[in-house]
Amino acid sequence: MPTVIDTVIRSDNGLFLVRDVSADSFEARKAAFKAARIPGTRRGHLCAAAGGILLVRGAHQMTWPRVRIEILDTAPTDDRPWHWEPRATMELATGRLMVESDPSFPLDLPVIDLPGGPDRYAVALGHTGRTEVQQESVRVSAANQSNSSDDSLAGWRSLDGIEQYLIRLWPDRLND
């Protein structure tokens, strides 16, 4: 399993996107946000794919998750310790994938050239550490009531990387 990205990323209000480099329009992003909504509520799914975008909602808006992306030849097994979300598909028009987060702080991550090129890809997203981050964020938030801004920021940064995502992509040959 070749890992092509494995790093802690700065998120934008707890959100990040894994997307085809061509899926950069407002309409493409809007479709991903719409797919992530739970109808009739103000809540959203942890992740959702629409077209060439996979949107992921982190456990807390102030923490930065560790993200690992693996490109596979075939469907993997859903191994532990990961908690797996329902599989999704992405239409990657260019076969070039990128991770995008806070637009104010562009990520210094490489664009991933998928060996299969432009195609429909299946996506499996596993996660760990979400509950721990949610619990610890309550503690950090309470401590920040009397902390300096430097200490507050240090409190949030102490949680970085606890929440982890494993994103696996492979050519989706179910309908071939």
Side-chain angles (χ1 to χ4, degrees), residues 57-76:
R57 296 177 191 270
H60 194 277
Q61 65 184 7
M62 295 296 291
T63 60
W64 299 348
R66 174 167 291 282
V67 176
R68 187 167 91 200
I69 297 176
E70 297 177 350
I71 308 303
L72 310 174
D73 295 328
T74 59

PDB file of all heavy atoms in Angstrom, residues 57-76:
ATOM      1  N   ARG A  57     -15.387  16.364   7.755  1.00  0.00           N
ATOM      2  CA  ARG A  57     -15.623  17.239   8.908  1.00  0.00           C
ATOM      3  C   ARG A  57     -14.867  16.688  10.103  1.00  0.00           C
ATOM      4  O   ARG A  57     -15.146  15.587  10.556  1.00  0.00           O
ATOM      5  CB  ARG A  57     -17.105  17.274   9.275  1.00  0.00           C
ATOM      6  CG  ARG A  57     -18.005  17.851   8.241  1.00  0.00           C
ATOM      7  CD  ARG A  57     -19.456  17.754   8.727  1.00  0.00           C
ATOM      8  NE  ARG A  57     -20.381  18.066   7.684  1.00  0.00           N
ATOM      9  CZ  ARG A  57     -20.835  19.283   7.421  1.00  0.00           C
ATOM     10  NH1 ARG A  57     -20.426  20.301   8.133  1.00  0.00           N
ATOM     11  NH2 ARG A  57     -21.695  19.478   6.449  1.00  0.00           N
ATOM     12  N   GLY A  58     -13.940  17.473  10.623  1.00  0.00           N
ATOM     13  CA  GLY A  58     -13.169  17.070  11.784  1.00  0.00           C
ATOM     14  C   GLY A  58     -13.984  17.112  13.063  1.00  0.00           C
ATOM     15  O   GLY A  58     -15.107  17.604  13.100  1.00  0.00           O
ATOM     16  N   ALA A  59     -13.386  16.603  14.133  1.00  0.00           N
ATOM     17  CA  ALA A  59     -14.058  16.516  15.430  1.00  0.00           C
ATOM     18  C   ALA A  59     -14.241  17.880  16.084  1.00  0.00           C
ATOM     19  O   ALA A  59     -15.196  18.090  16.835  1.00  0.00           O
ATOM     20  CB  ALA A  59     -13.278  15.603  16.366  1.00  0.00           C
ATOM     21  N   HIS A  60     -13.336  18.813  15.833  1.00  0.00           N
ATOM     22  CA  HIS A  60     -13.440  20.145  16.436  1.00  0.00           C
ATOM     23  C   HIS A  60     -12.785  21.155  15.508  1.00  0.00           C
ATOM     24  O   HIS A  60     -11.772  20.879  14.878  1.00  0.00           O
ATOM     25  CB  HIS A  60     -12.762  20.171  17.812  1.00  0.00           C
ATOM     26  CG  HIS A  60     -13.112  21.382  18.600  1.00  0.00           C
ATOM     27  ND1 HIS A  60     -12.469  22.579  18.426  1.00  0.00           N
ATOM     28  CD2 HIS A  60     -14.039  21.585  19.561  1.00  0.00           C
ATOM     29  CE1 HIS A  60     -12.997  23.483  19.251  1.00  0.00           C
ATOM     30  NE2 HIS A  60     -13.946  22.893  19.945  1.00  0.00           N
ATOM     31  N   GLN A  61     -13.344  22.333  15.451  1.00  0.00           N
ATOM     32  CA  GLN A  61     -12.857  23.348  14.522  1.00  0.00           C
ATOM     33  C   GLN A  61     -11.478  23.906  14.857  1.00  0.00           C
ATOM     34  O   GLN A  61     -10.815  24.482  14.001  1.00  0.00           O
ATOM     35  CB  GLN A  61     -13.848  24.504  14.433  1.00  0.00           C
ATOM     36  CG  GLN A  61     -14.005  25.282  15.720  1.00  0.00           C
ATOM     37  CD  GLN A  61     -15.063  26.358  15.607  1.00  0.00           C
ATOM     38  OE1 GLN A  61     -15.772  26.444  14.611  1.00  0.00           O
ATOM     39  NE2 GLN A  61     -15.168  27.181  16.620  1.00  0.00           N
ATOM     40  N   MET A  62     -11.006  23.731  16.087  1.00  0.00           N
ATOM     41  CA  MET A  62      -9.716  24.291  16.482  1.00  0.00           C
ATOM     42  C   MET A  62      -8.561  23.299  16.409  1.00  0.00           C
ATOM     43  O   MET A  62      -7.413  23.676  16.621  1.00  0.00           O
ATOM     44  CB  MET A  62      -9.801  24.854  17.907  1.00  0.00           C
ATOM     45  CG  MET A  62     -10.727  26.037  18.050  1.00  0.00           C
ATOM     46  SD  MET A  62     -10.166  27.467  17.120  1.00  0.00           S
ATOM     47  CE  MET A  62      -8.705  27.925  18.047  1.00  0.00           C
ATOM     48  N   THR A  63      -8.844  22.040  16.130  1.00  0.00           N
ATOM     49  CA  THR A  63      -7.771  21.048  16.126  1.00  0.00           C
ATOM     50  C   THR A  63      -7.393  20.668  14.702  1.00  0.00           C
ATOM     51  O   THR A  63      -8.187  20.828  13.769  1.00  0.00           O
ATOM     52  CB  THR A  63      -8.170  19.790  16.919  1.00  0.00           C
ATOM     53  OG1 THR A  63      -9.321  19.202  16.323  1.00  0.00           O
ATOM     54  CG2 THR A  63      -8.466  20.131  18.370  1.00  0.00           C
ATOM     55  N   TRP A  64      -6.191  20.158  14.555  1.00  0.00           N
ATOM     56  CA  TRP A  64      -5.665  19.777  13.249  1.00  0.00           C
ATOM     57  C   TRP A  64      -5.468  18.274  13.223  1.00  0.00           C
ATOM     58  O   TRP A  64      -4.716  17.716  14.026  1.00  0.00           O
ATOM     59  CB  TRP A  64      -4.342  20.475  12.986  1.00  0.00           C
ATOM     60  CG  TRP A  64      -4.420  21.982  12.976  1.00  0.00           C
ATOM     61  CD1 TRP A  64      -5.536  22.759  12.942  1.00  0.00           C
ATOM     62  CD2 TRP A  64      -3.323  22.884  13.009  1.00  0.00           C
ATOM     63  NE1 TRP A  64      -5.204  24.081  12.943  1.00  0.00           N
ATOM     64  CE2 TRP A  64      -3.845  24.189  12.987  1.00  0.00           C
ATOM     65  CE3 TRP A  64      -1.949  22.710  13.051  1.00  0.00           C
ATOM     66  CZ2 TRP A  64      -3.037  25.316  13.000  1.00  0.00           C
ATOM     67  CZ3 TRP A  64      -1.141  23.840  13.065  1.00  0.00           C
ATOM     68  CH2 TRP A  64      -1.688  25.123  13.038  1.00  0.00           C
ATOM     69  N   PRO A  65      -6.108  17.579  12.290  1.00  0.00           N
ATOM     70  CA  PRO A  65      -6.001  16.116  12.237  1.00  0.00           C
ATOM     71  C   PRO A  65      -4.783  15.627  11.451  1.00  0.00           C
ATOM     72  O   PRO A  65      -4.221  16.350  10.634  1.00  0.00           O
ATOM     73  CB  PRO A  65      -7.283  15.712  11.509  1.00  0.00           C
ATOM     74  CG  PRO A  65      -7.522  16.859  10.576  1.00  0.00           C
ATOM     75  CD  PRO A  65      -7.087  18.098  11.336  1.00  0.00           C
ATOM     76  N   ARG A  66      -4.430  14.388  11.719  1.00  0.00           N
ATOM     77  CA  ARG A  66      -3.433  13.698  10.895  1.00  0.00           C
ATOM     78  C   ARG A  66      -4.199  13.032   9.758  1.00  0.00           C
ATOM     79  O   ARG A  66      -5.210  12.372   9.976  1.00  0.00           O
ATOM     80  CB  ARG A  66      -2.669  12.646  11.692  1.00  0.00           C
ATOM     81  CG  ARG A  66      -1.720  11.814  10.806  1.00  0.00           C
ATOM     82  CD  ARG A  66      -0.743  10.990  11.594  1.00  0.00           C
ATOM     83  NE  ARG A  66       0.227  11.813  12.276  1.00  0.00           N
ATOM     84  CZ  ARG A  66       1.305  12.388  11.715  1.00  0.00           C
ATOM     85  NH1 ARG A  66       1.530  12.229  10.428  1.00  0.00           N
ATOM     86  NH2 ARG A  66       2.135  13.111  12.429  1.00  0.00           N
ATOM     87  N   VAL A  67      -3.718  13.219   8.541  1.00  0.00           N
ATOM     88  CA  VAL A  67      -4.360  12.652   7.355  1.00  0.00           C
ATOM     89  C   VAL A  67      -3.344  11.784   6.619  1.00  0.00           C
ATOM     90  O   VAL A  67      -2.234  12.226   6.342  1.00  0.00           O
ATOM     91  CB  VAL A  67      -4.886  13.765   6.416  1.00  0.00           C
ATOM     92  CG1 VAL A  67      -5.453  13.179   5.138  1.00  0.00           C
ATOM     93  CG2 VAL A  67      -5.921  14.620   7.131  1.00  0.00           C
ATOM     94  N   ARG A  68      -3.770  10.563   6.345  1.00  0.00           N
ATOM     95  CA  ARG A  68      -2.943   9.652   5.553  1.00  0.00           C
ATOM     96  C   ARG A  68      -3.762   9.217   4.349  1.00  0.00           C
ATOM     97  O   ARG A  68      -4.909   8.799   4.491  1.00  0.00           O
ATOM     98  CB  ARG A  68      -2.537   8.437   6.388  1.00  0.00           C
ATOM     99  CG  ARG A  68      -1.544   7.549   5.654  1.00  0.00           C
ATOM    100  CD  ARG A  68      -0.908   6.556   6.573  1.00  0.00           C
ATOM    101  NE  ARG A  68      -1.674   5.321   6.583  1.00  0.00           N
ATOM    102  CZ  ARG A  68      -1.615   4.414   7.546  1.00  0.00           C
ATOM    103  NH1 ARG A  68      -0.879   4.610   8.617  1.00  0.00           N
ATOM    104  NH2 ARG A  68      -2.314   3.319   7.456  1.00  0.00           N
ATOM    105  N   ILE A  69      -3.186   9.337   3.177  1.00  0.00           N
ATOM    106  CA  ILE A  69      -3.860   8.928   1.941  1.00  0.00           C
ATOM    107  C   ILE A  69      -3.053   7.802   1.319  1.00  0.00           C
ATOM    108  O   ILE A  69      -1.835   7.911   1.181  1.00  0.00           O
ATOM    109  CB  ILE A  69      -3.996  10.107   0.953  1.00  0.00           C
ATOM    110  CG1 ILE A  69      -4.872  11.203   1.567  1.00  0.00           C
ATOM    111  CG2 ILE A  69      -4.582   9.626  -0.377  1.00  0.00           C
ATOM    112  CD1 ILE A  69      -4.997  12.444   0.721  1.00  0.00           C
ATOM    113  N   GLU A  70      -3.757   6.737   0.961  1.00  0.00           N
ATOM    114  CA  GLU A  70      -3.135   5.590   0.307  1.00  0.00           C
ATOM    115  C   GLU A  70      -3.852   5.337  -1.012  1.00  0.00           C
ATOM    116  O   GLU A  70      -5.077   5.390  -1.077  1.00  0.00           O
ATOM    117  CB  GLU A  70      -3.241   4.335   1.179  1.00  0.00           C
ATOM    118  CG  GLU A  70      -2.502   4.447   2.497  1.00  0.00           C
ATOM    119  CD  GLU A  70      -2.669   3.233   3.392  1.00  0.00           C
ATOM    120  OE1 GLU A  70      -3.517   2.353   3.093  1.00  0.00           O
ATOM    121  OE2 GLU A  70      -1.958   3.176   4.394  1.00  0.00           O
ATOM    122  N   ILE A  71      -3.082   5.053  -2.043  1.00  0.00           N
ATOM    123  CA  ILE A  71      -3.618   4.708  -3.356  1.00  0.00           C
ATOM    124  C   ILE A  71      -3.402   3.209  -3.543  1.00  0.00           C
ATOM    125  O   ILE A  71      -2.280   2.718  -3.435  1.00  0.00           O
ATOM    126  CB  ILE A  71      -2.908   5.501  -4.478  1.00  0.00           C
ATOM    127  CG1 ILE A  71      -2.907   7.004  -4.172  1.00  0.00           C
ATOM    128  CG2 ILE A  71      -3.549   5.187  -5.825  1.00  0.00           C
ATOM    129  CD1 ILE A  71      -4.267   7.620  -3.971  1.00  0.00           C
ATOM    130  N   LEU A  72      -4.490   2.500  -3.815  1.00  0.00           N
ATOM    131  CA  LEU A  72      -4.446   1.036  -3.911  1.00  0.00           C
ATOM    132  C   LEU A  72      -4.849   0.579  -5.311  1.00  0.00           C
ATOM    133  O   LEU A  72      -5.454   1.339  -6.080  1.00  0.00           O
ATOM    134  CB  LEU A  72      -5.401   0.427  -2.891  1.00  0.00           C
ATOM    135  CG  LEU A  72      -5.278   0.935  -1.446  1.00  0.00           C
ATOM    136  CD1 LEU A  72      -6.391   0.352  -0.591  1.00  0.00           C
ATOM    137  CD2 LEU A  72      -3.925   0.575  -0.875  1.00  0.00           C
ATOM    138  N   ASP A  73      -4.556  -0.687  -5.599  1.00  0.00           N
ATOM    139  CA  ASP A  73      -4.979  -1.286  -6.867  1.00  0.00           C
ATOM    140  C   ASP A  73      -6.374  -1.882  -6.776  1.00  0.00           C
ATOM    141  O   ASP A  73      -7.104  -1.921  -7.760  1.00  0.00           O
ATOM    142  CB  ASP A  73      -3.998  -2.392  -7.289  1.00  0.00           C
ATOM    143  CG  ASP A  73      -2.623  -1.848  -7.599  1.00  0.00           C
ATOM    144  OD1 ASP A  73      -2.531  -0.696  -8.083  1.00  0.00           O
ATOM    145  OD2 ASP A  73      -1.637  -2.557  -7.347  1.00  0.00           O
ATOM    146  N   THR A  74      -6.725  -2.402  -5.581  1.00  0.00           N
ATOM    147  CA  THR A  74      -8.016  -3.066  -5.380  1.00  0.00           C
ATOM    148  C   THR A  74      -8.597  -2.659  -4.034  1.00  0.00           C
ATOM    149  O   THR A  74      -7.913  -2.060  -3.198  1.00  0.00           O
ATOM    150  CB  THR A  74      -7.860  -4.601  -5.399  1.00  0.00           C
ATOM    151  OG1 THR A  74      -6.956  -4.975  -4.352  1.00  0.00           O
ATOM    152  CG2 THR A  74      -7.334  -5.093  -6.735  1.00  0.00           C
ATOM    153  N   ALA A  75      -9.846  -3.055  -3.819  1.00  0.00           N
ATOM    154  CA  ALA A  75     -10.545  -2.736  -2.572  1.00  0.00           C
ATOM    155  C   ALA A  75      -9.815  -3.350  -1.371  1.00  0.00           C
ATOM    156  O   ALA A  75      -9.427  -4.515  -1.414  1.00  0.00           O
ATOM    157  CB  ALA A  75     -11.980  -3.252  -2.635  1.00  0.00           C
ATOM    158  N   PRO A  76      -9.645  -2.579  -0.304  1.00  0.00           N
ATOM    159  CA  PRO A  76      -8.966  -3.082   0.893  1.00  0.00           C
ATOM    160  C   PRO A  76      -9.957  -3.716   1.859  1.00  0.00           C
ATOM    161  O   PRO A  76     -11.174  -3.653   1.656  1.00  0.00           O
ATOM    162  CB  PRO A  76      -8.392  -1.808   1.495  1.00  0.00           C
ATOM    163  CG  PRO A  76      -9.437  -0.781   1.163  1.00  0.00           C
ATOM    164  CD  PRO A  76      -9.943  -1.164  -0.216  1.00  0.00           C
TER     165      PRO A  76
END
